[in-house]
Amino acid sequence: MTPAGRDVWVHVEHLNGKVAGHTYELLGKGREIADALSGRLTAVLIGGGIQPLAETLAADGVLCVDDAGLADATPGSHAAVVKALAEKEGPHALLLGATSMGMDLACLLAAALERPLMVNCVNLQVGDGRLVATCQMCGGKLLCEAEADGPAVVTVVPGSFPAEAGVAKGAPPIEAVPLPADLGAVRTRAVRMIEPEPGDVDITKSSVLVAVGRGIQRQDNIPLAEELAGILGGTVCASRPVVDQGWLPLPRQVGKSGMIVKPKLYLALGISGAPEHTEGMKDSDLIIAVNSDAKAPIFDVADYGVVIDMYDLIPALTQALQARRA
Amino acid sequence: MRIAVLLNMVPDLVEELEIDSTGKALDTQWMRYVISESDDHALEQALLLKDRHGASVSVLALDYGDADQVLFAALARGADEAVKLTGIPESGLGKRAAAATFKEALGEVGADLILTGVQAIDDLDGHVAGMLGGLAGMPYVGVTRSVEPSGDGKVLVQKEYPGGVAAEIEVTLPAVIGVLSAPQPPRYVPVARIRDVKKTRTLDEREAAAVTVPAQPTIIRMFMPEPAEHAQMLEGSPEELAEQIVKILDDRGLTS
Ligand SMILES: Cc1cc2nc3c(=O)[nH]c(=O)nc-3n(C[C@H](O)[C@H](O)[C@H](O)COP(=O)(O)OP(=O)(O)OC[C@H]3O[C@@H](n4cnc5c(N)ncnc54)[C@H](O)[C@@H]3O)c2cc1C
Ligand SMILES: Nc1ncnc2c1ncn2[C@@H]1O[C@H](COP(=O)(O)O)[C@@H](O)[C@H]1O
């Protein structure tokens, strides 16, 4: 195990030249944790041509590895760099987003540094000098409080903490570090970015979304949702399993690996409300959820809920809306 | 190409979850297990590679939950060999220990490409895929939606990032890939076919290696969320519910 001090490190995630919103949430929480540990808060910023991003990060310091070789980074190259940085004196807490990049990196680093890992954390505290994380499990149906006896790596679900506290008021001190690892030894190489296929509708621009989940059961049932969306002047979108089945195209997917939407109305039909889904829609103005399971976590983010088999409700709702329009 | 797919069983969320008397674990007594959804996709990804490019597919599972059923179903779907790792506690292992156990077993089975789901719903102390990549010192990429061979011992994977963006990444084998989705839905095989396979095929049972896990978080408690805010629940007949919803939308100018 590498030696650890009392500091808190936050891995800064960025895509297309912008810092990801959850990084500020981690910095805000990281401040509290660092204060409780009497340590420093360090933002770890890695990439190619990214040093200007450092100015927005609220931290005691920014460890910045800006190298052209890191311009198209893979989890493997980031892991090699953070590992080398941590080898001298690693942090007590290394915080990453529970995101595509953060999940990969957290596992690689926890293994390489022989640190315990706690994933999908939604709350984080220090008790008796230990990190105590509350982690989401079972699609949001269960929480687990766990603690690490010593330095640890934690992935945090985006949206768990306010972002404001993590946005820098003044520029933080930046420590530029030359590339500390041999990227030639990294056996993953970024080839290209693939942008979402255009052509279909842009669900982020729709003010009314009728969202269907696995509860829709069959592709043949999608037209029922489309009819409803049509009357409301909205668009049909979906959770991941519906897209995985090929019933709706990928640009219609809402959530962690899909789109982030904030419509005036989000009508969720047969969606359980897994954290990966709610991440993409919980800031909608009005959320109405229809689910046959009264314990579905979607009711924790919805404004209004209906426990019913959607097929008992959809005809009545379609009819009532049609009558309202006539 | 020799592909190994790691299959993990997780609680079926269709059933009620209960916490046991210790307050620190799920009550497994009546628990129904199902294959972890992204592992199901990892198996499909492996079978697609076999169909399109030729490959041998070995599936491995730790012996807890309904491992036999999951392994036989995988054979029925087209896997060539199924390995059951025995000597596992009934409630399974932590994810880091599971990854370490699979690592030892893979040393015997041998594989160029190891596919497993990127995340399981019961992950707490890590994700098996990424931990295995890290522990084995192999290249690792997770959250993939496609894996294709690209010649001379490499694969091209598509890794999903937020906003519908994906990165194409070239990975040198041997490697571990954490699959989110296969390019097509997991194939279905009739239950009768699985029953046949149970009569004609056998599982390769091997004693799991004892592993030590250096750093583990300690569970303090498990509990059901009690959110500060909860939806206002509407009640009534379908017609009454429809009327209430129309009223809510009306009030916000969403019906005109
Ligand atoms: C790295 C990663 C990224 C992910 N990204 C995303 C993402 O971007 N978007 C996303 O959505 N998911 C994503 N997921 C998947 C996510 O974890 C969940 O598996 C998914 O959101 C579940 O979709 P669902 O709610 O439609 O299905 P389920 O969880 O299966 O829920 C179906 C719901 O329908 C209800 N139901 C069934 N029948 C009826 C009926 N007749 N009437 C009413 N209700 C009914 C059930 O009670 C249940 O609550 C991701 C997962 C991972 C690991
Ligand atoms: N036709 C099938 N194809 C693939 N997997 C299956 C199939 N039937 C059952 N399984 C898997 O076997 C496990 C037990 O299923 P069951 O017998 O339906 O309880 C589940 O985890 C299923 O995912």
Side-chain angles (χ1 to χ4, degrees), chain B residues 93-117:
Chain B
L93 292 173
K95 300 306 163 129
R96 200 177 189 122
T101 307
F102 279 127
K103 177 185 164 230
E104 297 304 321
L106 285 163
E108 292 175 29
V109 171
D112 317 301
L113 176 62
I114 299 151
L115 301 176
T116 188

Side-chain angles (χ1 to χ4, degrees), chain B residues 32-35 40 66 69-70 73 77 187-191 194:
Chain B
R32 246 184 73 117
Y33 286 94
V34 290
I35 186 171
D40 211 9
D66 220 348
Q69 173 69 21
V70 167
R77 276 166 65 178
R187 63 195 66 187
Y188 178 79
V189 291
V191 176
I194 303 176

Side-chain angles (χ1 to χ4, degrees), chain B:
Chain B
M1 187 158 39
R2 292 172 310 162
I3 306 175
V5 184
L6 314 180
L7 301 176
N8 298 277
M9 286 66 66
V10 296
D12 186 351
L13 294 185
V14 170
E15 306 286 312
E16 192 96 351
L17 295 175
E18 299 219 23
I19 292 160
D20 73 8
S21 56
T22 67
K24 297 180 187 208
L26 280 173
D27 192 341
T28 52
Q29 197 181 357
W30 308 112
M31 197 151 83
R32 246 184 73 117
Y33 286 94
V34 290
I35 186 171
S36 175
E37 188 170 7
S38 54
D39 291 348
D40 211 9
H41 280 268
L43 175 57
E44 183 60 34
Q45 178 68 75
L47 296 172
L48 284 175
L49 285 167
K50 176 179 168 175
D51 294 346
R52 293 173 184 172
H53 307 283
S56 66
V57 176
S58 305
V59 290
L60 290 82
L62 307 179
D63 186 15
Y64 70 91
D66 220 348
D68 285 33
Q69 173 69 21
V70 167
L71 288 169
F72 279 118
L75 287 173
R77 276 166 65 178
D80 300 291
E81 174 195 29
V83 179
K84 182 166 80 168
L85 298 170
T86 60
I88 305 295
E90 242 169 73
S91 53
L93 292 173
K95 300 306 163 129
R96 200 177 189 122
T101 307
F102 279 127
K103 177 185 164 230
E104 297 304 321
L106 285 163
E108 292 175 29
V109 171
D112 317 301
L113 176 62
I114 299 151
L115 301 176
T116 188
V118 65
Q119 176 179 309
I121 55 165
D122 60 347
D123 286 349
L124 174 69
D125 65 329
H127 309 293
V128 168
M131 294 311 296
L132 174 64
L135 293 174
M138 286 188 197
Y140 173 69
V141 178
V143 196
T144 67
R145 66 176 184 209
S146 150
V147 181
E148 281 291 323
S150 70
D152 54 315
K154 291 182 176 138
V155 289
L156 271 182
V157 305
Q158 290 184 10
K159 172 179 179 61
E160 292 201 359
Y161 282 115
V165 178
E168 191 168 67
I169 298 176
E170 185 186 67
V171 185
T172 305
L173 303 179
V176 182
I177 303 296
V179 173
L180 176 58
S181 305
Q184 66 183 47
R187 63 195 66 187
Y188 178 79
V189 291
V191 176
R193 171 96 186 89
I194 303 176
R195 227 180 288 132
D196 285 348
V197 164
K198 279 184 179 162
K199 285 186 209 135
T200 54
R201 307 282 298 273
T202 51
L203 304 178
D204 177 1
E205 295 195 20
R206 301 186 186 199
E207 180 78 19
V211 295
T212 48
V213 178
Q216 279 294 81
T218 312
I219 294 177
I220 302 169
R221 63 178 179 129
M222 276 191 190
F223 57 106
M224 307 295 175
E226 285 156 32
E229 290 169 57
H230 191 268
Q232 184 183 328
M233 303 309 283
L234 308 178
E235 279 165 38
S237 67
E239 291 70 28
E240 289 162 351
L241 288 165
E243 221 163 280
Q244 293 174 59
I245 294 172
V246 171
K247 171 91 176 50
I248 293 164
L249 300 183
D250 260 342
D251 289 349
R252 299 189 181 225
L254 288 165
T255 44
S256 41

Side-chain angles (χ1 to χ4, degrees), chain A residues 100 104 110 115 119 138 143 145 147 187 189 191-192 194 214 240 244 258 276 295 299-300 303 305 324, chain B residues 16 37 96 119 121 124 137 142 159-160 163 166 168 170 172 181 218 220-221 223 231-232 234 250:
Chain A
S100 179
D104 286 10
R115 299 275 168 87
V119 301
C138 292
L143 290 170
E145 200 173 85
E147 66 178 6
R187 285 162 290 163
R189 185 177 67 83
V191 178
R192 63 179 176 126
I194 305 166
R214 189 165 9 222
R240 174 115 209 155
D244 278 347
E276 293 83 6
K295 290 196 174 157
F299 294 127
D300 299 341
D303 299 288
R324 175 67 184 74
Chain B
E16 192 96 351
E37 188 170 7
R96 200 177 189 122
Q119 176 179 309
I121 55 165
L124 174 69
K159 172 179 179 61
E160 292 201 359
E168 191 168 67
E170 185 186 67
T172 305
S181 305
T218 312
I220 302 169
R221 63 178 179 129
F223 57 106
Q232 184 183 328
L234 308 178
D250 260 342

